[in-house]
Amino acid sequence: DVKVTQSSRYLVKRTGEKVFLECVQDMDHENMFWYRQDPGLGLRLIYFSYDVKMKEKGDIPEGYSVSREKKERFSLILESASTNQTSMYLCASITAGPRGYNEQFFGPGTRLTVL
Amino acid sequence: SQQGEEDPQALSIQEGENATMNCSYKTSINNLQWYRQNSGRGLVHLILIRSNEREKHSGRLRVTLDTSKKSSSLLITASRAADTASYFCASRGGGSEKLVFGKGTKLTVNP
């Protein structure tokens, strides 16, 4: 059974803290993604990675960084958390198979609250 | 950006009725996917339709794709209260690995 897991379902941090959100997939997928989801704004892409050690900015990378040291793990880092980063964070992975049929699998999400 | 848009933003129907949700996108695509999300939970993949397909079925779901109009529709037949959720379309194309999501339609099925 395919699986994308995220380290925490709920997280509460204080302004200025460094926050790590971990995502692990067991499907040997090449591509991994981090999104945030906010009411009325839908899903927005923060960063994604096509391979180990590779990363690319998405639509809203400001205030975030990522790390992909191993193929199965993609970490999202908030260098100095701010209240406007309170959100639901979703990790996803996809196989770089034949174009036209790449299903993206999502983790359960981490609801981060920054006080 | 290739922002998808769902229509309507919210839909409330009675159990047994059909629910239709529409999605529009702006650029050429390789495929379009529909997802559902229960309140506070992760996304669940429902169905994927390729750019060279016009219609696809999966159980009570029917998806159509009109690439000339850059639009797709998701039909849920004989709805149930358990279908209550938000539904998102997501498109991928233009040689990009990015999957671009719309803002979603919130469906409420009343028992």
Side-chain angles (χ1 to χ4, degrees), chain B residues 1 12-13 16-17 25 27 32 34-35 40 47 50 57-58 71 73-74 80 86-88 92 94 96 98 100 105:
Chain B
S1 64
S12 181
I13 59 174
E17 293 180 343
Y25 55 92
T27 62
L32 188 138
W34 284 90
Y35 291 81
I47 195 166
R50 300 173 193 173
H57 297 255
S58 176
S71 67
S73 67
L74 172 68
R80 306 166 184 168
S86 289
Y87 291 83
F88 296 87
R92 190 172 74 82
S96 170
K98 294 181 186 180
V100 179
T105 292

Tab-separated table of all heavy atoms in Angstrom, chain B residues 1 12-13 16-17 25 27 32 34-35 40 47 50 57-58 71 73-74 80 86-88 92 94 96 98 100 105:
chain	number	residue	atom	x	y	z
B	1	SER	N	0.249	32.224	-13.553
B	1	SER	CA	0.337	30.810	-13.235
B	1	SER	C	-0.896	30.109	-13.786
B	1	SER	O	-1.895	30.716	-14.107
B	1	SER	CB	0.424	30.585	-11.736
B	1	SER	OG	-0.730	31.012	-11.089
B	12	SER	N	-24.852	22.632	-2.215
B	12	SER	CA	-25.592	21.890	-1.197
B	12	SER	C	-26.743	21.159	-1.876
B	12	SER	O	-27.547	21.768	-2.573
B	12	SER	CB	-26.131	22.845	-0.125
B	12	SER	OG	-26.816	22.127	0.871
B	13	ILE	N	-26.784	19.828	-1.716
B	13	ILE	CA	-27.819	19.028	-2.366
B	13	ILE	C	-28.372	18.010	-1.385
B	13	ILE	O	-27.834	17.819	-0.293
B	13	ILE	CB	-27.258	18.294	-3.610
B	13	ILE	CG1	-26.098	17.376	-3.203
B	13	ILE	CG2	-26.826	19.277	-4.678
B	13	ILE	CD1	-25.570	16.511	-4.334
B	16	GLY	N	-29.039	11.417	-2.798
B	16	GLY	CA	-29.692	10.822	-3.960
B	16	GLY	C	-29.601	11.673	-5.206
B	16	GLY	O	-29.715	11.161	-6.331
B	17	GLU	N	-29.413	12.961	-5.027
B	17	GLU	CA	-29.272	13.854	-6.189
B	17	GLU	C	-27.870	13.733	-6.776
B	17	GLU	O	-26.953	13.222	-6.135
B	17	GLU	CB	-29.546	15.303	-5.781
B	17	GLU	CG	-30.980	15.574	-5.369
B	17	GLU	CD	-31.205	17.033	-4.964
B	17	GLU	OE1	-30.217	17.743	-4.699
B	17	GLU	OE2	-32.369	17.446	-4.912
B	25	TYR	N	-9.102	25.835	-16.535
B	25	TYR	CA	-7.663	26.056	-16.414
B	25	TYR	C	-7.220	26.932	-17.574
B	25	TYR	O	-8.005	27.200	-18.492
B	25	TYR	CB	-6.905	24.725	-16.393
B	25	TYR	CG	-7.185	23.834	-17.578
B	25	TYR	CD1	-6.392	23.889	-18.713
B	25	TYR	CD2	-8.254	22.946	-17.562
B	25	TYR	CE1	-6.661	23.092	-19.807
B	25	TYR	CE2	-8.529	22.146	-18.650
B	25	TYR	CZ	-7.730	22.212	-19.770
B	25	TYR	OH	-7.991	21.419	-20.858
B	27	THR	N	-3.761	26.991	-19.304
B	27	THR	CA	-2.770	26.620	-20.320
B	27	THR	C	-2.958	25.165	-20.729
B	27	THR	O	-3.765	24.445	-20.146
B	27	THR	CB	-1.340	26.828	-19.788
B	27	THR	OG1	-1.140	25.964	-18.658
B	27	THR	CG2	-1.137	28.266	-19.351
B	32	LEU	N	-5.464	16.039	-16.103
B	32	LEU	CA	-6.192	16.771	-15.081
B	32	LEU	C	-6.686	15.754	-14.063
B	32	LEU	O	-7.150	14.666	-14.431
B	32	LEU	CB	-7.368	17.543	-15.690
B	32	LEU	CG	-8.084	18.497	-14.729
B	32	LEU	CD1	-8.402	19.811	-15.435
B	32	LEU	CD2	-9.332	17.867	-14.165
B	34	TRP	N	-8.778	14.991	-10.220
B	34	TRP	CA	-9.725	15.455	-9.210
B	34	TRP	C	-9.399	14.786	-7.885
B	34	TRP	O	-9.097	13.590	-7.829
B	34	TRP	CB	-11.162	15.120	-9.612
B	34	TRP	CG	-11.703	16.032	-10.676
B	34	TRP	CD1	-11.629	15.864	-12.028
B	34	TRP	CD2	-12.420	17.255	-10.464
B	34	TRP	NE1	-12.245	16.909	-12.674
B	34	TRP	CE2	-12.742	17.781	-11.739
B	34	TRP	CE3	-12.824	17.973	-9.330
B	34	TRP	CZ2	-13.445	18.972	-11.916
B	34	TRP	CZ3	-13.528	19.153	-9.497
B	34	TRP	CH2	-13.835	19.642	-10.777
B	35	TYR	N	-9.479	15.593	-6.823
B	35	TYR	CA	-9.211	15.116	-5.480
B	35	TYR	C	-10.361	15.519	-4.576
B	35	TYR	O	-11.076	16.490	-4.840
B	35	TYR	CB	-7.926	15.760	-4.922
B	35	TYR	CG	-6.653	15.310	-5.584
B	35	TYR	CD1	-6.234	15.863	-6.791
B	35	TYR	CD2	-5.859	14.338	-4.987
B	35	TYR	CE1	-5.061	15.454	-7.399
B	35	TYR	CE2	-4.672	13.927	-5.581
B	35	TYR	CZ	-4.291	14.488	-6.772
B	35	TYR	OH	-3.111	14.078	-7.368
B	40	GLY	N	-10.171	19.036	7.469
B	40	GLY	CA	-9.020	18.842	8.326
B	40	GLY	C	-8.150	17.650	7.986
B	40	GLY	O	-7.220	17.331	8.733
B	47	ILE	N	-9.677	10.631	-9.431
B	47	ILE	CA	-9.674	10.198	-10.821
B	47	ILE	C	-8.754	11.105	-11.627
B	47	ILE	O	-8.595	12.283	-11.318
B	47	ILE	CB	-11.123	10.207	-11.380
B	47	ILE	CG1	-11.226	9.437	-12.684
B	47	ILE	CG2	-11.653	11.634	-11.500
B	47	ILE	CD1	-12.659	9.125	-13.085
B	50	ARG	N	-6.573	12.026	-18.966
B	50	ARG	CA	-5.465	12.498	-19.786
B	50	ARG	C	-5.977	13.490	-20.818
B	50	ARG	O	-7.150	13.532	-21.140
B	50	ARG	CB	-4.786	11.320	-20.479
B	50	ARG	CG	-4.238	10.316	-19.533
B	50	ARG	CD	-3.738	9.091	-20.252
B	50	ARG	NE	-3.501	8.011	-19.299
B	50	ARG	CZ	-3.185	6.784	-19.629
B	50	ARG	NH1	-3.050	6.448	-20.884
B	50	ARG	NH2	-2.988	5.875	-18.704
B	57	HIS	N	-14.920	7.166	-16.288
B	57	HIS	CA	-15.823	6.779	-15.213
B	57	HIS	C	-15.052	6.028	-14.150
B	57	HIS	O	-14.117	5.284	-14.434
B	57	HIS	CB	-16.922	5.871	-15.750
B	57	HIS	CG	-17.802	6.526	-16.764
B	57	HIS	ND1	-19.082	6.943	-16.478
B	57	HIS	CD2	-17.578	6.864	-18.045
B	57	HIS	CE1	-19.607	7.495	-17.560
B	57	HIS	NE2	-18.726	7.459	-18.522
B	58	SER	N	-15.500	6.224	-12.917
B	58	SER	CA	-14.970	5.431	-11.815
B	58	SER	C	-16.060	5.343	-10.765
B	58	SER	O	-16.310	6.289	-10.025
B	58	SER	CB	-13.714	6.085	-11.241
B	58	SER	OG	-13.251	5.363	-10.103
B	71	SER	N	-11.663	23.121	-19.897
B	71	SER	CA	-12.541	22.908	-18.753
B	71	SER	C	-12.767	21.425	-18.521
B	71	SER	O	-12.628	20.601	-19.429
B	71	SER	CB	-13.878	23.622	-18.962
B	71	SER	OG	-14.585	23.014	-20.018
B	73	SER	N	-15.364	18.688	-15.914
B	73	SER	CA	-16.444	18.603	-14.937
B	73	SER	C	-16.371	17.270	-14.218
B	73	SER	O	-15.946	16.266	-14.790
B	73	SER	CB	-17.803	18.766	-15.612
B	73	SER	OG	-18.061	17.660	-16.446
B	74	LEU	N	-16.765	17.294	-12.967
B	74	LEU	CA	-16.857	16.090	-12.148
B	74	LEU	C	-18.320	15.917	-11.760
B	74	LEU	O	-18.922	16.810	-11.171
B	74	LEU	CB	-16.005	16.208	-10.885
B	74	LEU	CG	-16.169	15.089	-9.855
B	74	LEU	CD1	-15.628	13.774	-10.392
B	74	LEU	CD2	-15.468	15.457	-8.544
B	80	ARG	N	-24.343	10.649	-1.622
B	80	ARG	CA	-24.572	10.174	-0.257
B	80	ARG	C	-24.021	11.201	0.718
B	80	ARG	O	-23.156	11.991	0.364
B	80	ARG	CB	-23.849	8.844	-0.040
B	80	ARG	CG	-24.196	7.788	-1.055
B	80	ARG	CD	-23.227	6.629	-1.003
B	80	ARG	NE	-23.508	5.650	-2.040
B	80	ARG	CZ	-22.690	4.665	-2.377
B	80	ARG	NH1	-21.541	4.519	-1.746
B	80	ARG	NH2	-23.005	3.820	-3.335
B	86	SER	N	-14.679	18.697	0.335
B	86	SER	CA	-14.266	19.669	-0.669
B	86	SER	C	-13.616	18.917	-1.821
B	86	SER	O	-12.880	17.952	-1.604
B	86	SER	CB	-13.263	20.664	-0.068
B	86	SER	OG	-13.916	21.517	0.834
B	87	TYR	N	-13.887	19.378	-3.019
B	87	TYR	CA	-13.378	18.717	-4.212
B	87	TYR	C	-12.496	19.698	-4.989
B	87	TYR	O	-12.885	20.845	-5.225
B	87	TYR	CB	-14.535	18.217	-5.079
B	87	TYR	CG	-15.273	17.085	-4.422
B	87	TYR	CD1	-16.260	17.338	-3.472
B	87	TYR	CD2	-14.964	15.757	-4.711
B	87	TYR	CE1	-16.914	16.296	-2.826
B	87	TYR	CE2	-15.618	14.716	-4.082
B	87	TYR	CZ	-16.592	14.993	-3.140
B	87	TYR	OH	-17.234	13.960	-2.497
B	88	PHE	N	-11.324	19.223	-5.374
B	88	PHE	CA	-10.350	20.062	-6.068
B	88	PHE	C	-9.991	19.447	-7.410
B	88	PHE	O	-9.819	18.237	-7.520
B	88	PHE	CB	-9.053	20.182	-5.250
B	88	PHE	CG	-9.213	20.870	-3.929
B	88	PHE	CD1	-9.589	20.149	-2.792
B	88	PHE	CD2	-8.978	22.225	-3.800
B	88	PHE	CE1	-9.730	20.779	-1.566
B	88	PHE	CE2	-9.114	22.858	-2.569
B	88	PHE	CZ	-9.493	22.127	-1.459
B	92	ARG	N	-1.799	19.411	-14.736
B	92	ARG	CA	-0.351	19.382	-14.937
B	92	ARG	C	-0.083	19.441	-16.427
B	92	ARG	O	-0.691	18.736	-17.201
B	92	ARG	CB	0.256	18.117	-14.347
B	92	ARG	CG	1.773	18.134	-14.305
B	92	ARG	CD	2.267	16.936	-13.525
B	92	ARG	NE	2.120	15.715	-14.309
B	92	ARG	CZ	2.997	15.328	-15.226
B	92	ARG	NH1	4.046	16.059	-15.494
B	92	ARG	NH2	2.819	14.200	-15.877
B	94	GLY	N	2.406	21.616	-19.805
B	94	GLY	CA	3.422	22.554	-20.256
B	94	GLY	C	4.826	22.089	-19.975
B	94	GLY	O	5.732	22.895	-19.816
B	96	SER	N	5.875	20.780	-17.323
B	96	SER	CA	6.219	21.000	-15.924
B	96	SER	C	5.756	19.838	-15.066
B	96	SER	O	4.759	19.196	-15.369
B	96	SER	CB	5.567	22.290	-15.428
B	96	SER	OG	5.696	22.408	-14.026
B	98	LYS	N	4.868	20.454	-12.076
B	98	LYS	CA	4.009	21.070	-11.073
B	98	LYS	C	2.568	20.661	-11.305
B	98	LYS	O	2.085	20.596	-12.424
B	98	LYS	CB	4.107	22.606	-11.162
B	98	LYS	CG	5.461	23.167	-10.795
B	98	LYS	CD	5.430	24.687	-10.888
B	98	LYS	CE	6.817	25.267	-10.669
B	98	LYS	NZ	6.795	26.745	-10.746
B	100	VAL	N	-1.040	22.008	-10.502
B	100	VAL	CA	-1.638	23.272	-10.094
B	100	VAL	C	-3.089	23.033	-9.683
B	100	VAL	O	-3.889	22.533	-10.471
B	100	VAL	CB	-1.569	24.308	-11.230
B	100	VAL	CG1	-2.211	25.612	-10.789
B	100	VAL	CG2	-0.115	24.538	-11.620
B	105	THR	N	-14.375	23.141	-4.580
B	105	THR	CA	-15.825	23.264	-4.385
B	105	THR	C	-16.179	22.516	-3.119
B	105	THR	O	-15.830	21.342	-2.968
B	105	THR	CB	-16.599	22.645	-5.564
B	105	THR	OG1	-16.392	23.411	-6.731
B	105	THR	CG2	-18.099	22.596	-5.248
